[in-house]
Amino acid sequence: MRDGLMRDGEWVTAAALADTIGVTPRSIRSYVTALNARVPGAVVVESGPHGYRAGPDVHAALRVSEPATPRDRLHRIVRTMLAAPDGIDVFETAEQFHVSPATLEADLGRVRALLGGTELVLERTASRARLHGTEMAQRRLLSRLAHDETEDAAFDLEALRRALGEESLGAAAFGPFKTELVAGLGELGYFVNEFGLGDVMVHIAITADRVARGHALETAGAGESEALASISALLDRLSTQHLGVRLGDGDRRHLAALVQTRVIAPGAAQPASVIRDRVAPEVADAVRDVVARAAAEFLVDIDHEDFVLRLALHVQNLRERAREQAWSRNPLTRSLKTTYPMIFEVAVFIADGLRGLLGIPLLDDEIAYIAMHVGGRLERSRRAGELLTATIVCPGYYELHELLRSSVDRSLGQAIHVVEVETRVDPDWASFGTDLVLTTIDAPGGDDRVVWIQPFLTEADVERVQAAAARVRRARRLARLRAELERYFSPDAFVHPVAGSEESVIRELGAKLVGQGVIDDDYVERTLEREKLSSTAFTDALAVPHALGMTATRTAIAIGIADPSLPWGDGRVQVVAMVAFSESDRAAFQTVFEQLVEVFSERESVQRIVRRGTTFAAFLDELVAVVDG
């Protein structure tokens, strides 16, 4: 609930919050009371006639650890066990934590669950319990605690201190360390991924703390490349200077490898041949193959050698992380998935195609990094194709119209393309066939394309033109969406209310489409497989389950309305749109997919559609009304 309030920053009703997290409005009121009680005298959540919103003290509340919560106790138990090679006595520890032995036994069960993938084992002998495993495994567990404490993927020293213990680290050293690390990597010719850097800073802090306590990694036997040696030397110098810890050979190489696989990429000045030399041939070939298939499947312009090589280098580093189960977090995952669902879908396709190379399916955070590569490539190819055409109406006086056109090109050249300049005072307004008409004189009313501007372009003029251009683009997209949706929906594939698990809902909606002969049972199974790769809940309210591959006999959408909301992935949704695309409608995929997500990304629109759309006819009427604005 707190995350939803902070994300929107606007008033939200108790009913809307209840739908989001799957509780009753009465429970929401109880949660608000509990949040406000965390900091005496603070306003964590504001209440008013319009509902609730994040208060001025919400960030202060995030810094307050609730004493003796199960998570706090779990983390403290783990830290205590890691600091005691001989383990802990269950009865003594229970007394120290002011809980019963039975409660501590339950906590130890949660410790066992936390150890999955860390290669640590919880050993038990009578009343003593200890953790057994390598130093690297212990650090991996500390990293997991730190991530559990952190609200997002950024480096949070306070959260890290809670994970390692309040006495572990000083805050003053890490700011200069990070600043000089970024500068030093830049001098070595690398781009720095700031999102990955936060995660690596966690490992650097853990390493410094463990080395200071006498727990260094053993020296690695293999040699290191010149590039790795340069990074290793930089880390050692900064650690000695700022953290007061001299790293051994094993720790230097470990941290340098983390930096190389999570943080850096070749700078723009480095030619493709340099990148090609760093990528294993089998990785480059696998990426080249899946990129070509993705380009053909989604009709997107990504099949370029430069894109393939840079993505291949990322995938090669990703393969190293996958071997160690050392995933990178991405703070943009949610926004990428919600705002650019089509790009994220291409990334899911690529990630699925690379499963054989990587050996395992990828988490959403790692898929999001692939989406960032895809989005960057598409942005380069998209700009020219999205320019709107414009006519400038500016009665001639000396070179005034020429100066105005030059100003428009300079300030708005990335958004519009001027194709005509009219200098008459009485032009034929109906003859202009461009997307926009920018005029310095009065024009007949009723034409949304017309934007009045000053003869000498001002910032306000630029903002008005940009707003008009955005309206034109949105109107076109939504007009296409309305036409497509009315074509693809049918009353025989509408379920209200829908309830159950993700699998049961997909099977129920899939059966509607199977009954119409649109898809077969195999498509339903592949839709379930796609859902396992990455949740298709693209907004807080909408899930769009579908299969990879456009094998339907025709494109159709089955709709399920959930009231109250139902769990989906890590969240809850109120609308499930199971989409089946056919090969012949490949070009419509992006329009339908992205714009359907856009419509259901606005909370008020969702609530209106869900509350009123109890029948197919009512649902379609409300959806069209929202599309038409």
Side-chain angles (χ1 to χ4, degrees):
M1 185 188 79
R2 180 193 62 207
D3 294 339
L5 290 170
M6 291 180 64
R7 195 164 50 244
D8 293 335
E10 302 294 337
W11 291 102
V12 185
T13 66
L17 286 171
D19 284 331
T20 299
I21 62 178
V23 298
T24 65
R26 177 176 296 179
S27 296
I28 294 296
R29 289 189 285 273
S30 299
Y31 295 163
V32 168
T33 301
L35 284 171
N36 282 330
R38 292 189 67 177
V39 183
V43 181
V44 180
V45 179
E46 292 185 57
S47 304
H50 300 295
Y52 303 100
R53 69 179 179 185
D57 302 313
V58 64
H59 293 286
L62 297 182
R63 299 294 184 186
V64 177
S65 294
E66 297 174 2
T69 63
R71 188 184 75 171
D72 294 337
R73 200 168 56 246
L74 174 67
H75 287 195
R76 188 177 174 190
I77 290 171
V78 171
R79 291 198 306 270
T80 303
M81 296 178 76
L82 288 175
D86 294 332
I88 62 172
D89 183 276
V90 172
F91 297 101
E92 292 178 359
T93 305
E95 184 177 355
Q96 181 184 358
F97 288 4
H98 306 290
V99 296
S100 68
T103 298
L104 195 67
E105 291 286 2
D107 288 336
L108 290 176
R110 297 174 62 214
V111 170
R112 286 192 178 89
L114 189 65
L115 299 182
T118 64
E119 300 178 359
L120 287 173
V121 177
L122 177 61
E123 297 180 344
R124 186 68 184 271
T125 305
S127 65
R128 299 201 67 82
R130 67 185 289 264
L131 294 176
H132 177 73
T134 64
E135 172 63 21
M136 185 63 75
Q138 294 182 51
R139 294 186 187 188
R140 190 174 293 125
L141 178 58
L142 285 171
S143 174
R144 183 170 297 181
L145 296 188
H147 286 161
D148 192 30
E149 290 277 3
T150 307
E151 294 297 331
D152 53 34
F155 177 64
D156 184 342
L157 182 61
E158 291 305 315
L160 187 59
R161 291 184 67 183
R162 290 195 296 271
L164 300 181
E166 292 296 330
E167 74 288 351
S168 60
L169 301 163
F174 281 91
F177 186 107
K178 180 181 176 182
T179 300
E180 293 189 30
L181 177 60
V182 171
L185 292 172
E187 291 174 1
L188 293 175
Y190 297 109
F191 279 133
V192 175
N193 169 15
E194 283 280 351
F195 301 135
L197 184 59
D199 192 50
V200 169
M201 287 298 296
V202 170
H203 286 276
I204 290 171
I206 291 173
T207 297
D209 183 66
R210 295 295 289 177
V211 171
R213 295 172 186 268
H215 301 288
L217 291 178
E218 295 182 2
T219 301
E224 58 185 355
S225 65
E226 181 179 347
L228 200 63
S230 298
I231 299 171
S232 175
L234 174 64
L235 289 166
D236 187 37
R237 175 175 63 82
L238 295 179
S239 178
T240 303
Q241 177 182 349
H242 295 291
L243 307 182
V245 176
R246 187 64 187 269
L247 301 177
D249 187 54
D251 284 297
R252 286 200 309 271
R253 293 189 183 188
H254 167 62
L255 292 179
L258 286 178
V259 169
Q260 192 173 55
T261 58
R262 298 192 188 193
V263 172
I264 59 175
Q270 297 191 27
S273 59
V274 173
I275 304 175
R276 187 178 289 108
D277 291 340
R278 291 180 54 185
V279 178
E282 71 273 13
V283 175
D285 290 343
V287 171
R288 189 174 288 109
D289 174 68
V290 73
V291 166
R293 287 189 284 117
E297 182 74 14
F298 296 97
L299 297 180
V300 289
D301 184 25
I302 60 174
D303 195 4
H304 297 266
E305 185 64 11
D306 179 67
F307 170 77
V308 167
L309 288 175
R310 290 189 178 273
L311 180 59
L313 181 59
H314 174 83
V315 170
Q316 181 165 279
N317 293 335
L318 176 56
R319 183 167 65 167
E320 294 300 318
R321 297 200 298 274
R323 287 171 179 168
E324 298 184 7
Q325 296 286 292
W327 305 112
S328 287
R329 306 174 84 202
N330 191 327
L332 298 182
T333 298
R334 186 182 184 87
S335 61
L336 284 170
K337 198 170 187 178
T338 301
T339 311
Y340 307 104
M342 175 65 180
I343 290 174
F344 201 88
E345 189 64 18
V346 175
V348 170
F349 184 93
I350 291 174
D352 184 51
L354 295 172
R355 269 202 291 179
L357 177 70
L358 299 173
I360 53 174
L362 297 181
L363 304 177
D364 267 10
D365 280 351
E366 294 288 0
I367 294 175
Y369 279 115
I370 296 177
M372 292 169 74
H373 279 268
V374 173
R377 174 62 248 177
L378 292 180
E379 178 65 18
R380 293 185 181 92
S381 60
R382 178 186 64 86
R383 289 175 181 170
E386 282 202 350
L387 291 178
L388 297 179
T389 58
T391 297
I392 292 179
V393 178
C394 180
Y397 183 76
Y398 289 105
E399 76 280 14
L400 185 61
H401 62 284
E402 296 177 1
L403 291 173
L404 180 57
R405 175 169 187 166
S406 177
S407 296
V408 169
D409 287 340
R410 183 172 58 252
S411 301
L412 295 158
Q414 293 187 336
I416 65 174
H417 174 51
V418 178
V419 297
E420 182 180 357
V421 177
E422 174 60 69
T423 59
R424 292 169 53 95
V425 296
D426 56 346
D428 181 3
W429 298 95
S431 67
F432 299 140
T434 51
D435 300 313
L436 294 172
V437 178
L438 314 183
T439 176
T440 62
I441 61 176
D442 290 338
D447 193 338
D448 292 336
R449 299 178 305 155
V450 177
V451 182
W452 181 81
I453 60 175
Q454 303 277 4
F456 299 102
L457 201 66
T458 67
E459 290 186 7
D461 294 329
V462 172
E463 292 175 359
R464 281 198 301 275
V465 175
Q466 289 173 333
R471 287 196 301 271
V472 169
R473 292 193 185 95
R474 177 178 171 81
R476 287 181 177 178
R477 291 197 309 268
L478 295 183
R480 289 196 301 267
L481 175 64
R482 175 177 178 173
E484 298 291 355
L485 293 184
E486 290 180 338
R487 172 185 168 196
Y488 298 143
F489 285 145
S490 76
D492 296 331
F494 179 83
V495 179
H496 183 290
V498 68
S501 65
E502 295 175 16
E503 179 176 351
S504 65
V505 171
I506 288 174
R507 291 193 182 281
E508 182 177 5
L509 296 179
K512 300 289 185 181
L513 298 177
V514 171
Q516 295 181 5
V518 174
I519 58 174
D520 55 18
D521 292 333
D522 179 63
Y523 188 95
V524 177
E525 297 302 321
R526 288 189 291 113
T527 300
L528 293 170
E529 287 298 316
R530 162 62 185 84
E531 198 66 41
K532 293 177 183 177
L533 292 175
S534 174
S535 170
T536 58
F538 288 98
T539 76
D540 289 336
L542 173 72
V544 191
H546 58 279
L548 291 176
M550 303 179 189
T551 58
T553 58
R554 61 180 175 84
T555 296
I557 303 175
I559 291 290
I561 305 295
D563 192 10
S565 60
L566 54 85
W568 202 280
D570 295 330
R572 303 183 70 86
V573 299
Q574 292 180 271
V575 181
V576 182
M578 182 168 174
V579 184
F581 284 99
S582 72
E583 182 77 18
S584 61
D585 284 320
R586 186 184 300 269
F589 181 88
Q590 184 168 354
T591 300
V592 174
F593 196 74
E594 289 198 336
Q595 302 312 314
L596 190 63
V597 172
E598 180 179 337
V599 167
F600 285 97
S601 64
E602 299 172 356
R603 188 190 302 272
E604 291 183 2
S605 299
V606 172
Q607 296 305 315
R608 171 179 170 176
I609 292 171
V610 169
R611 303 301 183 206
R612 301 179 184 177
T614 56
T615 65
F616 175 75
F619 167 78
L620 194 57
D621 287 344
E622 293 301 326
L623 181 60
V624 170
V626 169
V627 168
D628 287 345

